Amino acid sequence: ANMQMTASITSVNSTFNKRLNHTKARIAALQDEELELNATLIRHKEAFEEELKGQRESFAKVSSLEAKAEGQENRLKDLNETMHETLHEELVKINQTEADTQKNIEESRRSVAG
């Protein structure tokens, strides 16, 4: 009876040890997988941050270009207004000169005729 009990205990112990070793191996495999997943996660996070940094830089460049374009647009509007004013002033002078010339021609005709 004692021998049978010892054999039974040895059998249970052996089964337990097999299960324990299997569980330890499974835990080790899961820990390896966890390390791999963490490394992958870190790589993805770094790549994402790099991409985000690039996008922020691109956005800053676009904002800067937009500001420059707006400044140039405002300068063009100012130049356009100035040009229109100058052209108007020149046109008024030309019209006045033409009127004066016409008046002089008519006065000359009158004095010749008179």
Side-chain angles (χ1 to χ4, degrees):
N2 210 3
M3 284 287 269
Q4 196 178 4
M5 194 141 167
T6 304
S8 181
I9 287 171
T10 303
S11 171
V12 167
N13 199 17
S14 172
T15 303
F16 174 78
N17 280 335
K18 282 181 191 168
R19 283 189 180 160
L20 182 64
N21 287 336
H22 175 74
T23 303
K24 283 179 180 176
R26 185 78 185 111
I27 287 170
L30 286 171
Q31 285 172 335
D32 288 348
E33 198 178 332
E34 182 185 23
L35 287 174
E36 264 181 59
L37 287 170
N38 280 338
T40 303
L41 184 65
I42 287 167
R43 279 196 309 276
H44 283 285
K45 184 181 175 214
E46 286 170 352
F48 175 76
E49 285 171 350
E50 197 62 35
E51 169 111 7
L52 193 61
K53 183 182 162 196
Q55 287 180 353
R56 283 190 181 126
E57 287 170 0
S58 293
F59 182 74
K61 284 179 191 168
V62 167
S63 294
S64 170
L65 286 172
E66 282 176 344
K68 283 180 188 172
E70 195 176 331
Q72 287 177 342
E73 193 178 347
N74 289 337
R75 280 195 295 280
L76 277 173
K77 281 180 187 173
D78 292 346
L79 278 172
N80 199 17
E81 279 179 35
T82 304
M83 188 182 74
H84 277 293
E85 288 168 9
T86 305
L87 281 173
H88 180 72
E89 289 167 9
E90 289 301 312
L91 196 58
V92 167
K93 286 180 193 171
I94 289 168
N95 285 340
Q96 188 59 53
T97 304
E98 193 180 334
D100 292 347
T101 304
Q102 195 64 39
K103 190 176 159 189
N104 289 341
I105 289 170
E106 285 171 17
E107 283 175 6
S108 296
R109 280 188 187 147
R110 272 194 227 114
S111 67
V112 169

